Amino acid sequence: MRELILINISGEDRPGVTSSVTAILARNNANILDIGQAVIHDHLSLGMLVELPSEEASALAVKDILYRMHDSGMQVRFQPISEQSYSDWVGQQGKQRHIVTLLARHITASHISALAEILAEHGLNIDNISRLTGRVPLDAENKGQACVEFSARGRVADITVLRAALADIASDMDVDIAFQEDNMFRRTRRMVCFDMDSTLIEAEVIDELAKAAGVGDQVAAITEAAMRGELDFNESFRARMALLKGLDESVLDGIAQRLPLTEGAARLVSTLNKLGYKTAILSGGFNYFGRYIQQKLGIDYVFANELEIVDGKVTGNVTGQIVNGQRKAELLRSLAEQEGISLEQVVAVGDGANDLPMLSIAGLGIAFRAKPLVRAEAKQAISTLGLDAILYLMGFRDREME
């Protein structure tokens, strides 16, 4: 009569443990029904659920594994599994699966405890936990970053309530938590579309232009109100442009060269380029500066507003179609169609209210260091780390990017 046995092996990691155990099982005609292995700080944990054809084969396998692991200094535990228990386990296939990503400068036990408690309260069982970031030195600087990914299964009764609970602990503990469905699109994204101002760069270009024109305070006030969603974008854009009338063209290059890239922007775009992703800037700012950032980072597409200049002076007029929130969403759709990919394969990143339309239609929409209104409405949000943290939400590990 066949026997089902759960084998758990632990101890100092070394070559040959898995091969020696499976060799013994092979001699006894075992089937491997499930297997998992993890190594934490050179400590191995190996688990296998096996089917052995008879009690005799089971006894021989257990004895040989026990002796072999003892000689190797490993601990081993055997647990018989009933066929009913196994059938119940098989029956759990098809349950919804989710990926929960925890990001912070440093991850503490309190962070994981709070997150795990919320997941349990909403009926989710954690199947796997993995560290996506590299190994962290004890004397790491404050600008370090840490990411742990949880694979959880179960049906969530109210996804809105769960997301709200995760957002609350993220805000209280100064971490980021992303909650995604675990599906085939997660690691098949093919294009990333960025807002530019306060996303790819740590500045609002129109504010920098306004300072050069001596109207910084007036334009900054309009910009803030627009980004909070308190003003219509088109109206606010025209009002800000009018204040720039007479600005000398000669100041533009200096402003472009001083624009600071956002933390992690260069690493993110460089990695995406190496992996063959298409990238785009969809900005309510200006083409002059978008093209500068495009060349600096190696972005494929840039769509922004034209800064009209006549006789070496900014006219203050708006020319062409304003790239507002709706236009960004239209451009994203058009680029996806042009590249022959679905919207589910697009990542969109932005910080302002005018980014919400494109964030809402992208497969992965990320509010980056965004205003509260935008964070609340976006599917995902990153506030504590740099732009390259987006790679973790896409499922990549540091070692895959080095």
Side-chain angles (χ1 to χ4, degrees):
M1 181 177 179
R2 68 184 176 189
E3 290 199 346
L4 307 180
I5 300 177
L6 178 61
I7 306 170
N8 288 288
I9 297 167
S10 62
E12 183 180 353
D13 186 34
R14 64 191 67 192
V17 174
T18 303
S19 63
S20 61
V21 173
T22 52
I24 294 169
L25 292 170
R27 289 199 299 269
N28 291 279
N29 300 313
N31 291 324
I32 306 295
L33 303 175
D34 196 13
I35 185 168
Q37 178 174 306
V39 177
I40 299 177
H41 195 63
D42 294 330
H43 187 91
L44 169 72
S45 294
L46 170 64
M48 285 183 281
L49 179 57
V50 302
E51 176 193 14
L52 289 145
S54 65
E55 293 182 6
E56 181 182 4
S58 174
L60 288 172
V62 166
K63 181 189 70 174
D64 288 348
I65 291 172
L66 187 62
Y67 285 148
R68 185 59 185 270
M69 292 301 98
H70 179 270
D71 291 342
S72 301
M74 308 293 289
Q75 296 180 350
V76 60
R77 182 166 63 90
F78 303 95
Q79 179 182 347
I81 302 296
S82 69
E83 293 199 13
Q84 181 60 53
S85 175
Y86 180 77
S87 296
D88 292 343
W89 176 73
V90 170
Q92 293 176 18
Q93 288 186 115
K95 279 192 174 183
Q96 292 181 343
R97 303 191 68 85
H98 313 273
I99 296 295
V100 187
T101 313
L102 172 64
L103 306 114
R105 293 296 178 184
H106 301 282
I107 290 177
T108 69
S110 296
H111 298 154
I112 294 178
S113 173
L115 173 56
E117 183 178 357
I118 292 294
L119 296 180
E121 287 175 356
H122 286 79
L124 293 177
N125 185 64
I126 298 171
D127 283 338
N128 186 64
I129 303 175
S130 300
R131 171 174 51 85
L132 302 188
T133 39
R135 298 175 182 178
V136 182
L138 291 176
D139 57 352
E141 299 177 2
N142 291 333
K143 282 296 182 181
Q145 56 188 27
C147 175
V148 173
E149 179 184 276
F150 302 78
S151 175
R153 59 180 164 81
R155 187 173 299 278
V156 180
D158 192 326
I159 192 71
T160 302
V161 174
L162 171 58
R163 287 188 181 278
L166 293 175
D168 286 344
I169 65 171
S171 177
D172 292 344
M173 306 187 91
D174 195 24
V175 299
D176 293 317
I177 301 173
F179 184 86
Q180 305 176 62
E181 181 183 353
D182 189 4
N183 58 32
M184 68 178 184
F185 293 111
R186 186 165 169 266
R187 291 198 65 157
T188 58
R189 314 291 186 193
R190 301 308 310 148
M191 183 168 67
V192 183
C193 297
F194 300 95
D195 174 44
M196 181 173 67
D197 296 29
S198 296
T199 301
L200 276 176
I201 58 174
E202 292 182 336
E204 290 288 332
V205 170
I206 199 165
D207 290 347
E208 300 304 310
L209 293 171
K211 291 174 188 175
V215 291
D217 290 344
Q218 296 135 281
V219 168
I222 298 173
T223 299
E224 279 297 311
M227 297 300 285
R228 291 193 300 267
E230 297 171 3
L231 291 176
D232 171 76
F233 182 84
N234 287 12
E235 181 182 358
S236 69
F237 185 74
R238 292 190 178 93
R240 288 175 289 178
M241 284 295 297
L243 291 169
L244 299 179
K245 183 177 180 179
L247 178 64
D248 198 281
E249 180 183 12
S250 63
V251 306
L252 301 185
D253 185 62
I255 290 174
Q257 292 188 38
R258 293 194 301 272
L259 291 175
L261 291 176
T262 298
E263 175 194 355
R267 180 178 184 242
L268 170 60
V269 177
S270 173
T271 301
L272 293 173
N273 288 340
K274 289 177 184 177
L275 296 172
Y277 284 74
K278 291 296 182 180
T279 53
I281 292 174
L282 308 181
S283 172
F286 303 104
N287 272 323
Y288 182 96
F289 302 96
R291 287 190 289 267
Y292 180 86
I293 299 301
Q294 178 185 28
Q295 294 175 3
K296 189 169 186 176
L297 292 177
I299 302 285
D300 293 299
Y301 302 101
V302 58
F303 296 91
N305 300 296
E306 282 299 331
L307 188 59
E308 186 182 64
I309 298 172
V310 176
D311 297 329
K313 301 287 185 182
V314 175
T315 67
N317 297 324
V318 178
T319 62
Q321 184 175 1
I322 294 175
V323 180
N324 56 18
Q326 188 57 43
R327 180 60 178 156
K328 288 186 179 187
E330 292 171 358
L331 288 166
L332 186 149
R333 286 183 185 276
S334 177
L335 285 173
E337 183 176 351
Q338 178 180 321
E339 293 296 335
I341 61 177
S342 72
L343 290 176
E344 281 287 350
Q345 293 176 285
V346 180
V347 180
V349 190
D351 73 301
N354 65 320
D355 294 312
L356 283 171
M358 74 171 182
L359 299 187
S360 67
I361 65 171
L364 178 58
I366 302 170
F368 180 74
R369 298 182 181 175
K371 307 296 185 293
L373 168 68
V374 183
R375 282 203 310 271
E377 295 194 26
K379 297 174 186 176
Q380 313 296 345
I382 295 176
S383 299
T384 61
L385 301 184
L387 267 179
D388 52 343
I390 290 169
L391 294 165
Y392 304 131
L393 268 61
M394 296 168 69
F396 293 107
R397 301 170 184 270
D398 277 353
R399 67 169 180 261
E400 297 170 328
M401 298 178 279
E402 291 174 355

